[in-house]
Amino acid sequence: MAEKNNMEQEVEFCVTKDQEGKRFDVVLTEVLPEYTRSYLQKLCKEQRARVGQKYVKGNYRCKEGDRVHLMIPEPKELEAKPEDMDLDIVYEDEDVILINKPKGMVVHPAAGHDTGTLVNGLLAHCKGDLSGINGVLRPGIVHRIDKDTTGILIACKNDMAHQKIAAQLYEHSITRKYHAIVCGILKDDEGTIDAPIGRSPKDRKKMAVVPGGRRAVTHYKVLRRLKGYTYIECRLETGRTHQIRVHMASIGHPLLGDEVYGPKKQKFALEGQCLHAKVLGFVHPRTSEYMEFETALPRYFTELLEKLDHSLGGKR
């Protein structure tokens, strides 16, 4: 690797035998795991990537010995800007706002996702009145859910609220219940997974159950056994990155649609894991009153349940 005078970084490498036949963008993510695949695809579209003297796009099929040249521009400092969007607001007052997040929405700006995030929408809706404890890129954000996970999460409008909600998260006193569909039939009606989670030693972009990881506890119960799948509720005692996805995969029942921790080939045309944050309960930071909110399953989820088992009817 070398640096240009304009602070662009030049990356050069040769395609190995193991990488032959793979898509160019996939190989780039293997060589440069610190960047998202979507960001690397963007560089290809901007003609910053070439094989030999030829510019290629992300769908190029690599050949052993291909000499790859990639120019990575100097990173721009991200800034979250207000964006008007139709937020599904579950509850709002002077201290907190609860949102029902749709599938595909990223919670806060990051490389490759600097617009269209929940934070962008909150900045516009709250007119900038959000807690500043987590900095300019994550104003108001106390916890988050994955891009392809739907459901309820709380944001704070001031530092007092942020500190009190964060303390409840730390003490594991907030009620968080998720609904999910997992692969296979769970034998036990309920159970607890108490297994530490940390960065995977095999793939730094993934989490895994690892010795020395942070303690993680997930309680689950079966809501209905389907045809080859199980509809479950999970209650989080802790809140580690990808916790439910990692824990369920660790006992042989990955979430349906989860191509990261489950099968790469999915039977249904799902965009990510079948997981919905359904219930959120907390003690209000100002009134000290316990409040609990519930969101309905999104349409894709209910339609999938019907498809897997017509006998479900209206029972949810």
PDB file of all heavy atoms in Angstrom, residues 148-184:
ATOM      1  N   ASP A 148     -31.503  -4.483   9.386  1.00  0.00           N
ATOM      2  CA  ASP A 148     -32.590  -5.305   8.869  1.00  0.00           C
ATOM      3  C   ASP A 148     -33.510  -5.851   9.954  1.00  0.00           C
ATOM      4  O   ASP A 148     -34.380  -6.677   9.685  1.00  0.00           O
ATOM      5  CB  ASP A 148     -32.032  -6.451   8.025  1.00  0.00           C
ATOM      6  CG  ASP A 148     -31.380  -5.942   6.748  1.00  0.00           C
ATOM      7  OD1 ASP A 148     -31.923  -4.991   6.154  1.00  0.00           O
ATOM      8  OD2 ASP A 148     -30.324  -6.468   6.352  1.00  0.00           O
ATOM      9  N   THR A 149     -33.316  -5.396  11.193  1.00  0.00           N
ATOM     10  CA  THR A 149     -34.243  -5.722  12.277  1.00  0.00           C
ATOM     11  C   THR A 149     -35.268  -4.604  12.362  1.00  0.00           C
ATOM     12  O   THR A 149     -34.913  -3.429  12.314  1.00  0.00           O
ATOM     13  CB  THR A 149     -33.491  -5.850  13.618  1.00  0.00           C
ATOM     14  OG1 THR A 149     -32.542  -6.912  13.525  1.00  0.00           O
ATOM     15  CG2 THR A 149     -34.458  -6.154  14.757  1.00  0.00           C
ATOM     16  N   THR A 150     -36.529  -4.968  12.475  1.00  0.00           N
ATOM     17  CA  THR A 150     -37.586  -3.975  12.603  1.00  0.00           C
ATOM     18  C   THR A 150     -37.939  -3.774  14.074  1.00  0.00           C
ATOM     19  O   THR A 150     -37.526  -4.554  14.928  1.00  0.00           O
ATOM     20  CB  THR A 150     -38.849  -4.420  11.846  1.00  0.00           C
ATOM     21  OG1 THR A 150     -39.259  -5.704  12.354  1.00  0.00           O
ATOM     22  CG2 THR A 150     -38.573  -4.549  10.355  1.00  0.00           C
ATOM     23  N   GLY A 151     -38.729  -2.728  14.347  1.00  0.00           N
ATOM     24  CA  GLY A 151     -39.292  -2.608  15.674  1.00  0.00           C
ATOM     25  C   GLY A 151     -38.901  -1.391  16.473  1.00  0.00           C
ATOM     26  O   GLY A 151     -38.329  -0.423  15.969  1.00  0.00           O
ATOM     27  N   ILE A 152     -39.182  -1.475  17.761  1.00  0.00           N
ATOM     28  CA  ILE A 152     -39.199  -0.319  18.650  1.00  0.00           C
ATOM     29  C   ILE A 152     -37.837  -0.038  19.286  1.00  0.00           C
ATOM     30  O   ILE A 152     -37.135  -0.955  19.697  1.00  0.00           O
ATOM     31  CB  ILE A 152     -40.277  -0.527  19.736  1.00  0.00           C
ATOM     32  CG1 ILE A 152     -40.556   0.740  20.513  1.00  0.00           C
ATOM     33  CG2 ILE A 152     -39.919  -1.677  20.666  1.00  0.00           C
ATOM     34  CD1 ILE A 152     -41.825   0.665  21.365  1.00  0.00           C
ATOM     35  N   LEU A 153     -37.472   1.227  19.306  1.00  0.00           N
ATOM     36  CA  LEU A 153     -36.298   1.655  20.063  1.00  0.00           C
ATOM     37  C   LEU A 153     -36.536   3.060  20.581  1.00  0.00           C
ATOM     38  O   LEU A 153     -37.391   3.790  20.072  1.00  0.00           O
ATOM     39  CB  LEU A 153     -35.012   1.565  19.247  1.00  0.00           C
ATOM     40  CG  LEU A 153     -34.661   2.657  18.247  1.00  0.00           C
ATOM     41  CD1 LEU A 153     -33.189   2.555  17.879  1.00  0.00           C
ATOM     42  CD2 LEU A 153     -35.501   2.539  16.987  1.00  0.00           C
ATOM     43  N   ILE A 154     -35.786   3.433  21.602  1.00  0.00           N
ATOM     44  CA  ILE A 154     -35.975   4.711  22.279  1.00  0.00           C
ATOM     45  C   ILE A 154     -34.797   5.641  22.002  1.00  0.00           C
ATOM     46  O   ILE A 154     -33.651   5.202  21.932  1.00  0.00           O
ATOM     47  CB  ILE A 154     -36.155   4.502  23.806  1.00  0.00           C
ATOM     48  CG1 ILE A 154     -36.494   5.805  24.513  1.00  0.00           C
ATOM     49  CG2 ILE A 154     -34.919   3.852  24.430  1.00  0.00           C
ATOM     50  CD1 ILE A 154     -36.881   5.612  25.978  1.00  0.00           C
ATOM     51  N   ALA A 155     -35.090   6.925  21.808  1.00  0.00           N
ATOM     52  CA  ALA A 155     -34.061   7.958  21.702  1.00  0.00           C
ATOM     53  C   ALA A 155     -34.373   9.014  22.752  1.00  0.00           C
ATOM     54  O   ALA A 155     -35.525   9.178  23.172  1.00  0.00           O
ATOM     55  CB  ALA A 155     -34.051   8.567  20.311  1.00  0.00           C
ATOM     56  N   CYS A 156     -33.349   9.728  23.181  1.00  0.00           N
ATOM     57  CA  CYS A 156     -33.503  10.700  24.273  1.00  0.00           C
ATOM     58  C   CYS A 156     -33.285  12.120  23.770  1.00  0.00           C
ATOM     59  O   CYS A 156     -32.385  12.384  22.974  1.00  0.00           O
ATOM     60  CB  CYS A 156     -32.525  10.381  25.399  1.00  0.00           C
ATOM     61  SG  CYS A 156     -32.854   8.782  26.182  1.00  0.00           S
ATOM     62  N   LYS A 157     -34.105  13.042  24.289  1.00  0.00           N
ATOM     63  CA  LYS A 157     -34.060  14.429  23.830  1.00  0.00           C
ATOM     64  C   LYS A 157     -33.137  15.316  24.648  1.00  0.00           C
ATOM     65  O   LYS A 157     -32.890  16.469  24.262  1.00  0.00           O
ATOM     66  CB  LYS A 157     -35.476  15.016  23.836  1.00  0.00           C
ATOM     67  CG  LYS A 157     -36.409  14.384  22.802  1.00  0.00           C
ATOM     68  CD  LYS A 157     -37.738  15.111  22.785  1.00  0.00           C
ATOM     69  CE  LYS A 157     -38.612  14.631  21.654  1.00  0.00           C
ATOM     70  NZ  LYS A 157     -39.882  15.397  21.597  1.00  0.00           N
ATOM     71  N   ASN A 158     -32.671  14.829  25.789  1.00  0.00           N
ATOM     72  CA  ASN A 158     -31.770  15.631  26.605  1.00  0.00           C
ATOM     73  C   ASN A 158     -30.833  14.708  27.377  1.00  0.00           C
ATOM     74  O   ASN A 158     -31.064  13.487  27.455  1.00  0.00           O
ATOM     75  CB  ASN A 158     -32.547  16.545  27.551  1.00  0.00           C
ATOM     76  CG  ASN A 158     -33.577  15.784  28.372  1.00  0.00           C
ATOM     77  OD1 ASN A 158     -33.216  14.920  29.177  1.00  0.00           O
ATOM     78  ND2 ASN A 158     -34.858  16.088  28.177  1.00  0.00           N
ATOM     79  N   ASP A 159     -29.780  15.258  27.927  1.00  0.00           N
ATOM     80  CA  ASP A 159     -28.757  14.453  28.599  1.00  0.00           C
ATOM     81  C   ASP A 159     -29.277  13.796  29.872  1.00  0.00           C
ATOM     82  O   ASP A 159     -28.849  12.697  30.226  1.00  0.00           O
ATOM     83  CB  ASP A 159     -27.535  15.321  28.919  1.00  0.00           C
ATOM     84  CG  ASP A 159     -26.749  15.699  27.676  1.00  0.00           C
ATOM     85  OD1 ASP A 159     -27.133  15.229  26.576  1.00  0.00           O
ATOM     86  OD2 ASP A 159     -25.769  16.454  27.781  1.00  0.00           O
ATOM     87  N   MET A 160     -30.205  14.460  30.575  1.00  0.00           N
ATOM     88  CA  MET A 160     -30.779  13.851  31.783  1.00  0.00           C
ATOM     89  C   MET A 160     -31.475  12.538  31.447  1.00  0.00           C
ATOM     90  O   MET A 160     -31.246  11.507  32.085  1.00  0.00           O
ATOM     91  CB  MET A 160     -31.773  14.820  32.440  1.00  0.00           C
ATOM     92  CG  MET A 160     -32.463  14.280  33.692  1.00  0.00           C
ATOM     93  SD  MET A 160     -33.937  13.234  33.363  1.00  0.00           S
ATOM     94  CE  MET A 160     -35.082  14.450  32.697  1.00  0.00           C
ATOM     95  N   ALA A 161     -32.313  12.583  30.428  1.00  0.00           N
ATOM     96  CA  ALA A 161     -33.027  11.378  30.012  1.00  0.00           C
ATOM     97  C   ALA A 161     -32.051  10.309  29.531  1.00  0.00           C
ATOM     98  O   ALA A 161     -32.190   9.120  29.849  1.00  0.00           O
ATOM     99  CB  ALA A 161     -34.029  11.726  28.925  1.00  0.00           C
ATOM    100  N   HIS A 162     -31.063  10.730  28.764  1.00  0.00           N
ATOM    101  CA  HIS A 162     -30.069   9.802  28.225  1.00  0.00           C
ATOM    102  C   HIS A 162     -29.347   9.057  29.354  1.00  0.00           C
ATOM    103  O   HIS A 162     -29.192   7.832  29.323  1.00  0.00           O
ATOM    104  CB  HIS A 162     -29.064  10.565  27.375  1.00  0.00           C
ATOM    105  CG  HIS A 162     -28.145   9.691  26.570  1.00  0.00           C
ATOM    106  ND1 HIS A 162     -28.046   9.776  25.196  1.00  0.00           N
ATOM    107  CD2 HIS A 162     -27.302   8.685  26.941  1.00  0.00           C
ATOM    108  CE1 HIS A 162     -27.167   8.885  24.774  1.00  0.00           C
ATOM    109  NE2 HIS A 162     -26.704   8.214  25.817  1.00  0.00           N
ATOM    110  N   GLN A 163     -28.911   9.806  30.347  1.00  0.00           N
ATOM    111  CA  GLN A 163     -28.170   9.195  31.456  1.00  0.00           C
ATOM    112  C   GLN A 163     -29.024   8.186  32.217  1.00  0.00           C
ATOM    113  O   GLN A 163     -28.560   7.107  32.587  1.00  0.00           O
ATOM    114  CB  GLN A 163     -27.653  10.284  32.390  1.00  0.00           C
ATOM    115  CG  GLN A 163     -26.520  11.113  31.782  1.00  0.00           C
ATOM    116  CD  GLN A 163     -26.211  12.367  32.580  1.00  0.00           C
ATOM    117  OE1 GLN A 163     -27.008  12.807  33.410  1.00  0.00           O
ATOM    118  NE2 GLN A 163     -25.048  12.961  32.328  1.00  0.00           N
ATOM    119  N   LYS A 164     -30.296   8.517  32.441  1.00  0.00           N
ATOM    120  CA  LYS A 164     -31.162   7.622  33.211  1.00  0.00           C
ATOM    121  C   LYS A 164     -31.568   6.379  32.420  1.00  0.00           C
ATOM    122  O   LYS A 164     -31.652   5.275  32.973  1.00  0.00           O
ATOM    123  CB  LYS A 164     -32.395   8.381  33.704  1.00  0.00           C
ATOM    124  CG  LYS A 164     -32.054   9.424  34.775  1.00  0.00           C
ATOM    125  CD  LYS A 164     -33.291   9.998  35.438  1.00  0.00           C
ATOM    126  CE  LYS A 164     -32.888  10.936  36.576  1.00  0.00           C
ATOM    127  NZ  LYS A 164     -34.074  11.491  37.281  1.00  0.00           N
ATOM    128  N   ILE A 165     -31.821   6.536  31.126  1.00  0.00           N
ATOM    129  CA  ILE A 165     -32.151   5.365  30.304  1.00  0.00           C
ATOM    130  C   ILE A 165     -30.920   4.483  30.132  1.00  0.00           C
ATOM    131  O   ILE A 165     -31.002   3.250  30.200  1.00  0.00           O
ATOM    132  CB  ILE A 165     -32.707   5.800  28.936  1.00  0.00           C
ATOM    133  CG1 ILE A 165     -34.033   6.546  29.107  1.00  0.00           C
ATOM    134  CG2 ILE A 165     -32.891   4.596  28.023  1.00  0.00           C
ATOM    135  CD1 ILE A 165     -35.163   5.720  29.703  1.00  0.00           C
ATOM    136  N   ALA A 166     -29.759   5.110  29.926  1.00  0.00           N
ATOM    137  CA  ALA A 166     -28.511   4.345  29.784  1.00  0.00           C
ATOM    138  C   ALA A 166     -28.217   3.549  31.056  1.00  0.00           C
ATOM    139  O   ALA A 166     -27.726   2.415  30.991  1.00  0.00           O
ATOM    140  CB  ALA A 166     -27.353   5.282  29.457  1.00  0.00           C
ATOM    141  N   ALA A 167     -28.520   4.133  32.219  1.00  0.00           N
ATOM    142  CA  ALA A 167     -28.302   3.426  33.486  1.00  0.00           C
ATOM    143  C   ALA A 167     -29.186   2.192  33.586  1.00  0.00           C
ATOM    144  O   ALA A 167     -28.760   1.132  34.066  1.00  0.00           O
ATOM    145  CB  ALA A 167     -28.578   4.373  34.658  1.00  0.00           C
ATOM    146  N   GLN A 168     -30.421   2.306  33.100  1.00  0.00           N
ATOM    147  CA  GLN A 168     -31.324   1.151  33.113  1.00  0.00           C
ATOM    148  C   GLN A 168     -30.834   0.055  32.168  1.00  0.00           C
ATOM    149  O   GLN A 168     -30.938  -1.135  32.476  1.00  0.00           O
ATOM    150  CB  GLN A 168     -32.740   1.585  32.737  1.00  0.00           C
ATOM    151  CG  GLN A 168     -33.405   2.480  33.765  1.00  0.00           C
ATOM    152  CD  GLN A 168     -34.780   2.950  33.321  1.00  0.00           C
ATOM    153  OE1 GLN A 168     -35.654   2.153  33.013  1.00  0.00           O
ATOM    154  NE2 GLN A 168     -34.965   4.270  33.280  1.00  0.00           N
ATOM    155  N   LEU A 169     -30.292   0.458  31.036  1.00  0.00           N
ATOM    156  CA  LEU A 169     -29.713  -0.523  30.105  1.00  0.00           C
ATOM    157  C   LEU A 169     -28.530  -1.233  30.758  1.00  0.00           C
ATOM    158  O   LEU A 169     -28.375  -2.449  30.646  1.00  0.00           O
ATOM    159  CB  LEU A 169     -29.277   0.173  28.814  1.00  0.00           C
ATOM    160  CG  LEU A 169     -30.387   0.528  27.823  1.00  0.00           C
ATOM    161  CD1 LEU A 169     -29.868   1.530  26.799  1.00  0.00           C
ATOM    162  CD2 LEU A 169     -30.908  -0.723  27.125  1.00  0.00           C
ATOM    163  N   TYR A 170     -27.707  -0.467  31.434  1.00  0.00           N
ATOM    164  CA  TYR A 170     -26.525  -1.029  32.102  1.00  0.00           C
ATOM    165  C   TYR A 170     -26.928  -2.000  33.210  1.00  0.00           C
ATOM    166  O   TYR A 170     -26.283  -3.033  33.420  1.00  0.00           O
ATOM    167  CB  TYR A 170     -25.668   0.106  32.669  1.00  0.00           C
ATOM    168  CG  TYR A 170     -24.419  -0.350  33.371  1.00  0.00           C
ATOM    169  CD1 TYR A 170     -23.292  -0.735  32.639  1.00  0.00           C
ATOM    170  CD2 TYR A 170     -24.351  -0.402  34.769  1.00  0.00           C
ATOM    171  CE1 TYR A 170     -22.142  -1.171  33.283  1.00  0.00           C
ATOM    172  CE2 TYR A 170     -23.210  -0.834  35.412  1.00  0.00           C
ATOM    173  CZ  TYR A 170     -22.105  -1.223  34.662  1.00  0.00           C
ATOM    174  OH  TYR A 170     -20.960  -1.665  35.303  1.00  0.00           O
ATOM    175  N   GLU A 171     -28.014  -1.664  33.909  1.00  0.00           N
ATOM    176  CA  GLU A 171     -28.481  -2.508  35.011  1.00  0.00           C
ATOM    177  C   GLU A 171     -29.378  -3.657  34.535  1.00  0.00           C
ATOM    178  O   GLU A 171     -29.851  -4.457  35.331  1.00  0.00           O
ATOM    179  CB  GLU A 171     -29.264  -1.645  36.012  1.00  0.00           C
ATOM    180  CG  GLU A 171     -28.416  -0.590  36.712  1.00  0.00           C
ATOM    181  CD  GLU A 171     -29.253   0.497  37.372  1.00  0.00           C
ATOM    182  OE1 GLU A 171     -30.506   0.427  37.266  1.00  0.00           O
ATOM    183  OE2 GLU A 171     -28.660   1.406  37.980  1.00  0.00           O
ATOM    184  N   HIS A 172     -29.634  -3.725  33.218  1.00  0.00           N
ATOM    185  CA  HIS A 172     -30.481  -4.762  32.609  1.00  0.00           C
ATOM    186  C   HIS A 172     -31.909  -4.720  33.136  1.00  0.00           C
ATOM    187  O   HIS A 172     -32.582  -5.751  33.236  1.00  0.00           O
ATOM    188  CB  HIS A 172     -29.892  -6.164  32.836  1.00  0.00           C
ATOM    189  CG  HIS A 172     -28.436  -6.270  32.542  1.00  0.00           C
ATOM    190  ND1 HIS A 172     -27.875  -5.776  31.380  1.00  0.00           N
ATOM    191  CD2 HIS A 172     -27.407  -6.812  33.247  1.00  0.00           C
ATOM    192  CE1 HIS A 172     -26.574  -6.009  31.383  1.00  0.00           C
ATOM    193  NE2 HIS A 172     -26.262  -6.630  32.500  1.00  0.00           N
ATOM    194  N   SER A 173     -32.393  -3.513  33.483  1.00  0.00           N
ATOM    195  CA  SER A 173     -33.748  -3.410  34.024  1.00  0.00           C
ATOM    196  C   SER A 173     -34.778  -3.007  32.968  1.00  0.00           C
ATOM    197  O   SER A 173     -35.979  -2.981  33.251  1.00  0.00           O
ATOM    198  CB  SER A 173     -33.773  -2.394  35.181  1.00  0.00           C
ATOM    199  OG  SER A 173     -33.378  -1.105  34.738  1.00  0.00           O
ATOM    200  N   ILE A 174     -34.337  -2.693  31.762  1.00  0.00           N
ATOM    201  CA  ILE A 174     -35.262  -2.364  30.681  1.00  0.00           C
ATOM    202  C   ILE A 174     -35.823  -3.663  30.095  1.00  0.00           C
ATOM    203  O   ILE A 174     -35.100  -4.641  29.909  1.00  0.00           O
ATOM    204  CB  ILE A 174     -34.565  -1.524  29.586  1.00  0.00           C
ATOM    205  CG1 ILE A 174     -34.440  -0.078  30.055  1.00  0.00           C
ATOM    206  CG2 ILE A 174     -35.311  -1.584  28.266  1.00  0.00           C
ATOM    207  CD1 ILE A 174     -33.884   0.877  29.033  1.00  0.00           C
ATOM    208  N   THR A 175     -37.128  -3.668  29.820  1.00  0.00           N
ATOM    209  CA  THR A 175     -37.777  -4.835  29.212  1.00  0.00           C
ATOM    210  C   THR A 175     -37.612  -4.753  27.703  1.00  0.00           C
ATOM    211  O   THR A 175     -38.026  -3.771  27.080  1.00  0.00           O
ATOM    212  CB  THR A 175     -39.280  -4.872  29.561  1.00  0.00           C
ATOM    213  OG1 THR A 175     -39.429  -4.909  30.979  1.00  0.00           O
ATOM    214  CG2 THR A 175     -39.950  -6.085  28.938  1.00  0.00           C
ATOM    215  N   ARG A 176     -37.001  -5.773  27.117  1.00  0.00           N
ATOM    216  CA  ARG A 176     -36.835  -5.823  25.660  1.00  0.00           C
ATOM    217  C   ARG A 176     -37.201  -7.215  25.175  1.00  0.00           C
ATOM    218  O   ARG A 176     -36.514  -8.191  25.473  1.00  0.00           O
ATOM    219  CB  ARG A 176     -35.398  -5.485  25.267  1.00  0.00           C
ATOM    220  CG  ARG A 176     -35.061  -4.011  25.366  1.00  0.00           C
ATOM    221  CD  ARG A 176     -33.622  -3.719  25.011  1.00  0.00           C
ATOM    222  NE  ARG A 176     -32.710  -4.245  26.018  1.00  0.00           N
ATOM    223  CZ  ARG A 176     -31.393  -4.289  25.885  1.00  0.00           C
ATOM    224  NH1 ARG A 176     -30.843  -3.861  24.769  1.00  0.00           N
ATOM    225  NH2 ARG A 176     -30.639  -4.751  26.858  1.00  0.00           N
ATOM    226  N   LYS A 177     -38.296  -7.307  24.439  1.00  0.00           N
ATOM    227  CA  LYS A 177     -38.755  -8.586  23.904  1.00  0.00           C
ATOM    228  C   LYS A 177     -38.796  -8.519  22.381  1.00  0.00           C
ATOM    229  O   LYS A 177     -39.323  -7.563  21.806  1.00  0.00           O
ATOM    230  CB  LYS A 177     -40.141  -8.939  24.453  1.00  0.00           C
ATOM    231  CG  LYS A 177     -40.170  -9.163  25.962  1.00  0.00           C
ATOM    232  CD  LYS A 177     -41.576  -9.475  26.442  1.00  0.00           C
ATOM    233  CE  LYS A 177     -41.611  -9.671  27.958  1.00  0.00           C
ATOM    234  NZ  LYS A 177     -42.998  -9.921  28.439  1.00  0.00           N
ATOM    235  N   TYR A 178     -38.235  -9.539  21.771  1.00  0.00           N
ATOM    236  CA  TYR A 178     -38.168  -9.627  20.315  1.00  0.00           C
ATOM    237  C   TYR A 178     -38.933 -10.860  19.844  1.00  0.00           C
ATOM    238  O   TYR A 178     -38.944 -11.887  20.532  1.00  0.00           O
ATOM    239  CB  TYR A 178     -36.717  -9.763  19.850  1.00  0.00           C
ATOM    240  CG  TYR A 178     -35.861  -8.528  20.016  1.00  0.00           C
ATOM    241  CD1 TYR A 178     -35.475  -8.081  21.277  1.00  0.00           C
ATOM    242  CD2 TYR A 178     -35.420  -7.817  18.910  1.00  0.00           C
ATOM    243  CE1 TYR A 178     -34.676  -6.953  21.431  1.00  0.00           C
ATOM    244  CE2 TYR A 178     -34.613  -6.689  19.049  1.00  0.00           C
ATOM    245  CZ  TYR A 178     -34.254  -6.264  20.310  1.00  0.00           C
ATOM    246  OH  TYR A 178     -33.465  -5.146  20.453  1.00  0.00           O
ATOM    247  N   HIS A 179     -39.525 -10.769  18.667  1.00  0.00           N
ATOM    248  CA  HIS A 179     -40.114 -11.933  18.035  1.00  0.00           C
ATOM    249  C   HIS A 179     -39.254 -12.310  16.838  1.00  0.00           C
ATOM    250  O   HIS A 179     -38.738 -11.432  16.130  1.00  0.00           O
ATOM    251  CB  HIS A 179     -41.546 -11.650  17.596  1.00  0.00           C
ATOM    252  CG  HIS A 179     -42.526 -11.715  18.729  1.00  0.00           C
ATOM    253  ND1 HIS A 179     -43.873 -11.957  18.552  1.00  0.00           N
ATOM    254  CD2 HIS A 179     -42.356 -11.588  20.082  1.00  0.00           C
ATOM    255  CE1 HIS A 179     -44.483 -11.974  19.725  1.00  0.00           C
ATOM    256  NE2 HIS A 179     -43.576 -11.742  20.662  1.00  0.00           N
ATOM    257  N   ALA A 180     -39.092 -13.597  16.631  1.00  0.00           N
ATOM    258  CA  ALA A 180     -38.207 -14.084  15.568  1.00  0.00           C
ATOM    259  C   ALA A 180     -38.718 -15.409  15.031  1.00  0.00           C
ATOM    260  O   ALA A 180     -39.474 -16.126  15.700  1.00  0.00           O
ATOM    261  CB  ALA A 180     -36.782 -14.244  16.097  1.00  0.00           C
ATOM    262  N   ILE A 181     -38.308 -15.717  13.823  1.00  0.00           N
ATOM    263  CA  ILE A 181     -38.527 -17.052  13.254  1.00  0.00           C
ATOM    264  C   ILE A 181     -37.151 -17.666  13.052  1.00  0.00           C
ATOM    265  O   ILE A 181     -36.280 -17.051  12.416  1.00  0.00           O
ATOM    266  CB  ILE A 181     -39.289 -16.996  11.923  1.00  0.00           C
ATOM    267  CG1 ILE A 181     -40.672 -16.364  12.122  1.00  0.00           C
ATOM    268  CG2 ILE A 181     -39.443 -18.404  11.344  1.00  0.00           C
ATOM    269  CD1 ILE A 181     -41.459 -16.184  10.839  1.00  0.00           C
ATOM    270  N   VAL A 182     -36.937 -18.840  13.633  1.00  0.00           N
ATOM    271  CA  VAL A 182     -35.638 -19.496  13.517  1.00  0.00           C
ATOM    272  C   VAL A 182     -35.761 -20.763  12.686  1.00  0.00           C
ATOM    273  O   VAL A 182     -36.842 -21.358  12.557  1.00  0.00           O
ATOM    274  CB  VAL A 182     -35.046 -19.837  14.907  1.00  0.00           C
ATOM    275  CG1 VAL A 182     -34.843 -18.570  15.714  1.00  0.00           C
ATOM    276  CG2 VAL A 182     -35.937 -20.822  15.662  1.00  0.00           C
ATOM    277  N   CYS A 183     -34.653 -21.182  12.120  1.00  0.00           N
ATOM    278  CA  CYS A 183     -34.614 -22.394  11.311  1.00  0.00           C
ATOM    279  C   CYS A 183     -34.676 -23.627  12.215  1.00  0.00           C
ATOM    280  O   CYS A 183     -34.032 -23.664  13.276  1.00  0.00           O
ATOM    281  CB  CYS A 183     -33.338 -22.435  10.476  1.00  0.00           C
ATOM    282  SG  CYS A 183     -33.173 -21.056   9.314  1.00  0.00           S
ATOM    283  N   GLY A 184     -35.416 -24.623  11.793  1.00  0.00           N
ATOM    284  CA  GLY A 184     -35.506 -25.857  12.552  1.00  0.00           C
ATOM    285  C   GLY A 184     -36.568 -25.803  13.639  1.00  0.00           C
ATOM    286  O   GLY A 184     -37.167 -24.764  13.905  1.00  0.00           O
TER     287      GLY A 184
END
